[in-house]
Amino acid sequence: MLSAIRTWFGFQRRLSRELLKSNSLSRVAYIVAMNTLGQRKLVQVQLDGHLLNVRTATPDLFVALETLGSEFQMLANLEFGQAPAFIVDAGGYIGTASIALKTLFPNSTIVTIEPSSSNFEVLKKNIEPHENIHAINAALVDDEALEEIYLVDSVTGPWGFEISDTPGQNAEVVKTVTFARLMKQFDVSRVQICKMDIEGAELELLENPGSWLDHTDVLAIELHERKRNGIDQAFRNANRKRFALPLPGEKVLSLSHRYLAGLADATK
């Protein structure tokens, strides 16, 4: 308990330092007060050069700090030739990951997918100033899934909504989308980058990788073995013919041999 309290106060100090770089003292004090009181309010903040909409007393600011910070810097040196990259952000949350990816790859087309309607409303506000970020209010699933499924709240709140075939208490009915439908809609044959953080729903996708992973050059995925047993093994099976690099936490970076071979040819 004492450790959790120290962690919470440590994050509030870090949050205050970061926000004070670009926001007024009164704005920062209000946010910290709402966080402390557990009051959820939609507020606007400047963070890393971006005007963002975030909700107090949620993980929004923590996620924004991480995604706009160093989380995607390992992708900064990726090259995909002259053609603009097609990027899929699965588990878009409030849009800050897509904004970070757009900053790294300004000519790219990004599709951000978020099943929660409440998260999606914030996401839409945040990506509005950015061209070629397309938002889809749906859950990314494999080809065998139903066209509608249920979104259930987990103990982590809006950060960790999970999909289910059966309704739970206060479940939200959400539409689904597949890689095949995405690629047809945007008329592409490959996904250059897929960022995937979908709270355990990656299991079915990893068990049936042929329809999407073979067409994906770079996969940056967070694995949720703690939520669903078998995910780590499914990832290993799906990535036997790819180069996988473990990252801090539950994240893994996976690159196709097709992409690596093209990169090697380009450097000759």
Side-chain angles (χ1 to χ4, degrees):
M1 180 66 176
L2 183 59
S3 175
I5 292 173
R6 286 173 176 168
T7 299
W8 187 88
F9 277 107
F11 172 67
Q12 294 304 313
R13 286 195 296 270
R14 178 191 169 198
L15 172 65
S16 298
R17 286 196 302 269
E18 291 298 323
L19 290 180
L20 282 171
K21 294 177 182 178
S22 305
N23 299 272
S24 67
L25 177 60
S26 60
R27 176 63 57 92
V28 176
Y30 175 77
I31 290 171
V32 172
M34 292 300 100
N35 285 343
T36 304
L37 295 172
Q39 297 293 312
R40 186 175 297 188
K41 303 288 185 181
L42 185 67
V43 297
Q44 287 190 325
V45 296
Q46 288 282 349
L47 190 62
D48 199 35
H50 302 283
L51 179 63
L52 299 175
N53 295 271
V54 296
R55 297 160 295 188
T56 58
T58 71
D60 288 7
L61 274 168
F62 172 78
V63 172
L65 283 172
E66 293 299 310
T67 52
L68 294 174
S70 60
E71 182 170 351
F72 297 109
Q73 284 306 306
M74 75 283 192
L75 304 178
N77 295 321
L78 294 177
E79 298 179 5
F80 300 99
Q82 298 300 315
F86 182 72
I87 299 174
V88 174
D89 176 8
Y93 193 51
I94 62 168
T96 51
S98 288
I99 293 171
L101 291 167
K102 191 66 175 177
T103 301
L104 291 174
F105 305 97
N107 296 322
S108 63
T109 294
I110 299 178
V111 180
T112 178
I113 306 164
E114 171 56 45
S116 163
S117 58
S118 56
N119 291 345
F120 190 74
E121 289 303 311
V122 184
L123 180 152
K124 284 196 301 182
K125 293 177 185 293
N126 286 332
I127 67 170
E128 187 176 357
H130 302 273
E131 293 184 0
N132 278 341
I133 300 181
H134 306 272
I136 298 177
N137 187 196
L140 182 65
V141 295
D142 76 287
D143 292 339
E144 303 302 318
L146 301 172
E147 291 188 4
E148 288 187 342
I149 54 175
Y150 299 97
L151 191 69
V152 296
D153 197 352
S154 69
V155 294
T156 55
W159 192 6
F161 286 125
E162 301 172 22
I163 62 172
S164 173
D165 291 334
T166 56
Q169 188 175 7
N170 300 320
E172 178 182 357
V173 179
V174 298
K175 295 189 179 300
T176 61
V177 66
T178 66
F179 273 96
R181 277 182 267 161
L182 278 179
M183 294 170 73
K184 181 178 180 180
Q185 179 180 345
F186 289 90
D187 192 25
V188 297
S189 59
R190 293 196 68 79
V191 175
Q192 276 67 51
I193 300 174
C194 175
K195 166 258 171 184
M196 187 178 292
D197 184 0
I198 53 177
E199 304 301 323
E202 67 270 21
L203 177 58
E204 286 76 15
L205 285 162
L206 290 169
E207 289 178 334
N208 299 284
S211 63
W212 68 278
L213 193 56
D214 290 347
H215 308 288
T216 301
D217 290 326
V218 178
L219 172 66
I221 186 171
E222 183 162 337
L223 302 174
H224 296 86
E225 178 73 20
R226 58 187 165 80
K227 289 191 172 186
R228 299 185 67 187
N229 292 335
I231 287 178
D232 287 350
Q233 184 60 52
F235 176 84
R236 287 191 291 270
N237 292 341
N239 285 268
R240 282 174 178 162
K241 296 181 180 180
R242 297 169 64 93
F243 175 77
L245 176 67
L247 299 173
E250 301 168 311
K251 298 179 176 62
V252 185
L253 185 66
S254 166
L255 298 94
S256 72
H257 286 296
R258 179 185 186 277
Y259 169 71
L260 291 172
L263 198 63
D265 289 342
T267 58
K268 288 181 180 178

